[in-house]
Every structure is written in C-alpha cells, then in structure tokens.
Amino acid sequence: MKSKFLIILLIPAWLVSVNASAQTEADYEALTDFLSPDKISALQSKPQQYAQMAYLNRHGYHVSEIGEKTADGIPDISEVVALYPGSPAITLDLATSQNLNLMAYRIETNLEKEIYFKFGSSGKVLVIPPMILSLKAANLHND
C-alpha cells in the first residue's frame, strides 16, 4: 500500500519535471522571435543571464482580476509600445495563452514592486511581479 501511495505522488512530480524541461526549450526559442542571432550568441556566452532572460520573457507576468481595487491610475495595456517590428499588440488572449514575449515591449520592470496594466474594461490586469520574486520562484536568483 505504501509503494502505491509513493508512486501516485511521484507521477505528478515526474510530469511537472518533463513539462518544465519542454517549456524551457520553448522559452529559449521565444527569444529568437525578437533578438538577432548576434544577440542570442552573446547571451549564450552568459548562461545565467540567458536563463534569466528566457524565464522572465515568458513567465515574468500573469493575468489577474482587478478585484476590489480600483482601476483608476492603472495604465491601459494599449499604451505599451513594442520594441521590435512585428511584435503583436498585447491582448488578454495573448497574455493568458502564455505566448507573450514580455521583453519585446517597452516596460520598465522593477526589482521590488509589482507593475500593473489593465486590459480595457475587462476587469483584468497584466501583473509583472518584482523581478527578484520571479527569479527566486524559478531558482535563478543570484543571492
């Protein structure tokens, strides 16, 4: 009975690790959507920085409900400017699909506080957590 319980616990952990390694490759590949081969090559010579950039680009944000907070003072996502030609407008669908290349846009990130952008009157916001928290969550932070 104990071994069946242990196997049941290990299967979800294995699935997560398989999914995480597959996602990592997609994260690195996403950087090629907007960075030149020369920049990619330069980043590859700095593995820690390359890993951090790949992670933050695709996982350094999430979508949340505004909740009881007021949207007053929160800039609209339509105000965000793309840094690279061909980058799509940031929409709620793009952000919730986890296919948003965050670093392709002019967004001032913060090491210590969250940044918010509202999706029009949808009641949803794009939340960019403090960079330090995102990197610690991915075990990529240099202490």
Side-chain angles (χ1 to χ4, degrees):
M1 181 69 167
K2 242 185 188 181
S3 62
K4 286 182 184 179
F5 182 73
L6 183 59
I7 290 170
I8 290 170
L9 286 177
L10 291 177
I11 289 172
W14 175 77
L15 288 173
V16 168
S17 67
V18 168
N19 189 30
S21 62
Q23 183 60 37
T24 300
E25 188 61 37
D27 293 342
Y28 286 104
E29 190 175 310
L31 293 175
T32 64
D33 289 347
F34 60 91
L35 293 179
S36 70
D38 290 341
K39 286 193 180 200
I40 294 289
S41 181
L43 275 171
Q44 288 172 334
S45 69
K46 302 171 189 168
Q48 180 72 15
Q49 184 181 1
Y50 189 39
Q52 289 175 346
M53 189 171 193
Y55 180 80
L56 290 172
N57 181 51
R58 296 293 285 275
H59 305 284
Y61 68 91
H62 63 273
V63 175
S64 184
E65 298 284 331
I66 291 176
E68 294 184 23
K69 293 180 181 178
T70 178
D72 295 343
I74 298 177
D76 195 85
I77 198 71
S78 64
E79 296 174 26
V80 175
V81 177
L83 294 171
Y84 302 96
S87 298
I90 301 174
T91 63
L92 184 56
D93 287 341
L94 179 62
T96 55
S97 72
Q98 289 299 118
N99 289 321
L100 171 61
N101 287 326
L102 194 60
M103 293 186 180
Y105 301 88
R106 184 177 316 263
I107 298 174
E108 296 295 321
T109 56
N110 193 303
L111 289 175
E112 299 177 353
K113 73 177 198 178
E114 291 182 327
I115 298 170
Y116 301 93
F117 293 95
K118 63 184 173 186
F119 288 99
S121 59
S122 69
K124 303 219 184 252
V125 289
L126 180 72
V127 181
I128 303 170
M131 227 184 326
I132 290 173
L133 290 180
S134 292
L135 293 174
K136 280 184 179 180
N139 202 24
L140 291 170
H141 184 262
N142 294 332
D143 287 322

